[in-house]
Amino acid sequence: METFREPTLDDGAGVWTLIKETGVLDLNSSYSYLMWCSVFSDTSVVVEADGQIVGFISGFIKPASPDKLFIWQVAVDGEQRGKGLASKMLHHILERDICENVRYVEATVSPSNTPSRKLFNGLARSLDTNIEVSDCFTAEDFPEEGHEDELMHLIGPFK
Ligand SMILES: CC(C)(COP(=O)(O)OP(=O)(O)OC[C@H]1O[C@@H](n2cnc3c(N)ncnc32)[C@H](O)[C@@H]1OP(=O)(O)O)[C@@H](O)C(=O)NCCC(=O)NCCS
């Protein structure tokens, strides 16, 4: 049985391990996950199953656009994929009081990441709203070789 909840500082190490094990997400510093799990917990979520962190989303409400929830990293443990966990995590955050005035979700997605594209298209469908895709970060913006473009996906308005 899975539990969906706000992360706490104690989840930071488990989240770092989960992100590392995806093998495809940019692994940020362990410090950044400790910070995220304590400072941005009310717009982020973890899923816990049998004492393990099996799902995580880092999100924040954009300071200059308080009606936009930016979703940064989404990760589900390999064994738990395809069961709707990522979709449920997105809805879990959106249902919180802090998202009362949120009318849009933003996320960047690499063109080759089909599961991620389908996740955000599915979110737009379930919220009965539009999804608009535009350029965001290009491969040339990244300092290291081999990083794909990141396309902005704007979902909404849904209120
Ligand atoms: C992307 C990811 C978070 C999806 O998690 P998930 O819990 O398996 O997703 P869900 O079960 O909620 O499925 C969401 C949608 O994606 C589709 N999907 C999921 N895995 C898929 C796959 N491997 N291939 C194609 N479509 C897939 C589902 O069918 C669903 O679409 P639908 O609503 O049209 O049926 C997960 O695959 C993952 O952690 N990947 C590695 C990290 C990553 O790439 N993160 C996203 C970038 S931030």
Side-chain angles (χ1 to χ4, degrees):
M1 186 64 194
E2 299 100 10
T3 309
F4 291 67
R5 59 172 175 77
E6 288 185 15
T8 67
L9 175 58
D10 290 342
D11 296 314
V15 165
W16 182 84
T17 304
L18 175 71
I19 299 289
K20 184 168 177 230
E21 286 176 356
T22 65
V24 295
L25 292 177
D26 288 341
L27 180 65
N28 298 297
S29 69
S30 49
Y31 180 98
S32 77
Y33 294 105
L34 297 182
M35 192 189 71
W36 207 274
C37 287
S38 39
V39 180
F40 294 98
S41 55
D42 51 5
T43 46
S44 302
V45 62
V46 286
V47 182
E48 193 177 341
D50 299 326
Q52 295 278 107
I53 300 300
V54 297
F56 173 68
I57 290 182
S58 45
F60 64 94
I61 292 176
K62 291 178 88 173
S65 310
D67 62 347
K68 290 198 175 96
L69 173 71
F70 187 90
I71 296 295
W72 184 14
Q73 291 194 301
V74 185
V76 170
D77 175 79
E79 306 257 299
Q80 305 280 341
R81 291 185 192 157
K83 299 187 344 188
L85 279 194
S87 309
K88 284 185 196 155
M89 286 196 287
L90 288 171
H91 285 283
H92 180 89
I93 297 175
L94 286 171
E95 280 160 16
R96 293 186 187 151
D97 289 348
I98 191 157
C99 290
E100 196 185 343
N101 298 322
V102 167
R103 301 164 65 233
Y104 296 89
V105 166
E106 278 188 353
T108 74
V109 177
S110 315
S112 71
N113 195 333
T114 303
S116 185
R117 259 193 296 118
K118 289 186 87 173
L119 172 66
F120 290 107
N121 278 301
L123 178 69
R125 237 181 9 256
S126 66
L127 293 169
D128 198 18
T129 190
N130 312 312
I131 183 161
E132 213 179 276
V133 180
S134 58
D135 290 338
C136 184
F137 306 127
T138 67
E140 293 75 45
D141 289 327
F142 291 94
E144 75 273 35
E145 287 286 305
H147 207 298
E148 259 191 276
D149 290 344
E150 292 275 345
L151 299 177
M152 178 60 77
H153 288 55
L154 175 67
I155 295 150
F158 45 83
K159 274 181 196 165

